[in-house]
Amino acid sequence: MTPKLTPTQMAWRAAQDIADGAYVNLGIGFPEMVARFQPPGRQAIFHTENGILGFGEAPAPGTEDWDLINAGKKAVTLKPGTAFFHHADSFAMVRGGHLDVAILGAYEVAETGDLANWSTGPRGVPAVGGAMDLVHGAKRVAVITDHVTRDGKPKLLQRCTLPLTGVACVTRVYSSLAVIDIEGGRFVLREKLPALSLDELQSLTGAKLLTPAPVADLIAPEL
């Protein structure tokens, strides 16, 4: 069985690249967990499309206030200085280029940076939602995703086969097996699990992985 990071470990790894004071939107699903892992000495300011800026971690089970939720309908806590505003103002922040980072989930990512993260299928998010605005409004777009589908097919491809959320928008992928940048329309491997060979990783990836520099080990704590 191929070793892989858990969703929590992927979220931890993504959090390590968020600068202090960055304004960050976290997508529904795996990305929501990024808010748990602020590196020492750094504090991001988290934004949600339904109108909160500066929220904190999820509350302990049983202490939720269900008037305080993010766009994924998950309960959040508040920090000093948290702001509430109209949905339209929230999207004005997104479209106005005021977010430093958007971290989203994905069904597919192309080597060109195209993203497909919504579906009209029975199990999919039934509409593209705010992601279409986020991928073109945020200054940097990253993705957290399993490297392959449940039946073992690559999610990182030469070209997406599903409806696109955005074109040439993703710059980094935090997968369950590797950290991959998208540069010049190609996948550039930066980190991989040490137990996985380059050939094994390539066999699970639907496009060529470039290795112009030494590849670092992808190591995450037990969480």
Side-chain angles (χ1 to χ4, degrees), residues 137-159:
K139 296 171 186 173
R140 180 170 76 87
V141 177
V143 159
I144 295 178
T145 182
D146 274 320
H147 203 88
V148 298
T149 64
R150 292 179 181 177
D151 56 1
K153 294 180 180 178
K155 297 180 74 171
L156 277 62
L157 307 168
Q158 286 184 317
R159 297 293 181 270

Side-chain angles (χ1 to χ4, degrees), residues 1-194:
M1 184 176 179
T2 302
K4 68 175 187 176
L5 298 184
T6 66
T8 307
Q9 289 173 315
M10 285 187 276
W12 173 88
R13 177 60 190 86
Q16 308 313 299
D17 291 339
I18 298 175
D20 184 42
Y23 289 88
V24 182
N25 183 284
L26 303 176
I28 296 170
F30 293 171
E32 291 174 320
M33 292 186 285
V34 172
R36 302 182 194 173
F37 304 112
Q38 294 297 282
R42 280 187 264 166
Q43 180 58 63
I45 302 164
F46 292 110
H47 165 277
T48 179
E49 298 103 295
N50 58 317
I52 310 176
L53 186 68
F55 63 89
E57 297 181 18
T63 67
E64 299 93 342
D65 179 345
W66 292 107
D67 286 328
L68 303 175
I69 59 171
N70 62 21
K73 299 183 175 63
K74 303 286 183 21
V76 298
T77 57
L78 305 182
K79 292 187 172 184
T82 297
F84 300 91
F85 34 83
H86 192 278
H87 201 103
D89 293 322
S90 182
F91 274 86
M93 293 179 192
V94 175
R95 295 169 183 169
H98 301 291
L99 294 180
D100 296 300
V101 186
I103 302 178
L104 305 173
Y107 289 126
E108 295 175 343
V109 180
E111 64 181 350
T112 54
D114 298 350
L115 172 65
N117 81 336
W118 68 289
S119 171
T120 57
R123 295 185 179 180
V125 175
V128 69
M132 188 174 286
D133 295 280
L134 287 164
V135 297
H136 294 297
K139 296 171 186 173
R140 180 170 76 87
V141 177
V143 159
I144 295 178
T145 182
D146 274 320
H147 203 88
V148 298
T149 64
R150 292 179 181 177
D151 56 1
K153 294 180 180 178
K155 297 180 74 171
L156 277 62
L157 307 168
Q158 286 184 317
R159 297 293 181 270
C160 293
T161 63
L162 295 171
L164 293 183
T165 306
V167 173
C169 53
V170 179
T171 57
R172 173 162 278 205
V173 176
Y174 302 95
S175 88
S176 51
L177 305 179
V179 176
I180 297 168
D181 284 336
I182 296 174
E183 297 179 354
R186 304 296 296 274
F187 287 135
V188 180
L189 181 61
R190 299 301 184 192
E191 303 174 18
K192 69 174 182 62
L193 293 181

